[in-house]
Amino acid sequence: HIGGGLLLAAILGPWASFVVMASVLCLQCLFFADGGLLALGCNTFNLGFWPAFAGLPLYRKIAGDSSTPWRLALAAAAAVLVSLELGALSVVFETLLSGRSELPFSRFGAVMLGIQLPIALVEGLISAAVIQFVARMMPAASLRATSSRTPALAALMGCALFIGMVAAWFASSHPDGL
């Protein structure tokens, strides 16, 4: 995921990035069988919601009005790290709520967050480099784009209705272990 949710949020704003991430995850699910339709809601929440609505405010808080490369890099790395760890923690909660976990919360959480931490660190560094590159190439964008909520919500509602009413008919009767 290379912190894609945060990169999109920094460039497009939170609502548009959430819709784009939902679309990407939907395409991965339908064309590459990545996660499956039954996991699409959780995947969208874990990889779309946290970066857009928790990571982006953190990114903006750390970056502030400054556009110094080091501050942007620190803001991006920290926001990706927090977003991905929150997503991993959400996986723990979602799995426990599904009743499919054989591990207790504390053990499952420690394993999941521990495994995700080095991945999040690397993704944070890569995202920091991409943010710096975009800031140099598109200084007018200032990585603080905003968007209207209405089109994003309408698109999200349309996707949810399509998945629930049409795409669900094509769900596999033998879902993968993830």
Side-chain angles (χ1 to χ4, degrees):
H1 15 89
I2 311 291
L6 180 75
L7 295 173
L8 287 170
I11 295 168
L12 301 175
W15 292 99
S17 72
F18 185 75
V19 171
V20 170
M21 282 301 291
S23 301
V24 167
L25 292 166
C26 189
L27 290 173
Q28 284 181 336
C29 161
L30 295 173
F31 292 111
F32 305 115
D34 188 8
L37 285 172
L38 295 177
L40 184 57
C42 290
N43 286 339
T44 301
F45 182 78
N46 300 341
L47 296 172
F49 175 83
W50 289 121
F53 299 107
L56 182 62
L58 178 62
Y59 169 79
R60 288 181 174 167
K61 180 80 171 164
I62 295 171
D65 291 334
S66 172
S67 60
T68 61
W70 288 109
R71 192 154 178 187
L72 287 177
L74 175 65
V80 167
L81 177 73
V82 168
S83 298
L84 292 180
E85 288 293 297
L86 285 171
L89 187 60
S90 292
V91 169
V92 174
F93 278 112
E94 292 155 358
T95 305
L96 289 172
L97 289 174
S98 75
R100 306 291 288 173
S101 177
E102 295 182 15
L103 295 174
F105 174 78
S106 60
R107 188 164 173 207
F108 187 24
V111 168
M112 189 66 160
L113 293 173
I115 289 171
Q116 191 66 25
L117 183 61
I119 296 167
L121 289 170
V122 171
E123 289 190 20
L125 293 174
I126 293 170
S127 297
V130 171
I131 289 281
Q132 285 183 326
F133 177 77
V134 170
R136 276 195 302 266
M137 300 324 273
M138 296 174 34
S142 79
L143 301 175
R144 288 182 181 85
T146 59
S147 63
S148 169
R149 293 180 182 185
T150 305
L153 289 174
L156 186 59
M157 180 62 83
C159 288
L161 287 173
F162 174 78
I163 291 167
M165 299 173 83
V166 177
W169 286 97
F170 301 100
S172 172
S173 60
H174 304 292
D176 62 15
L178 298 175

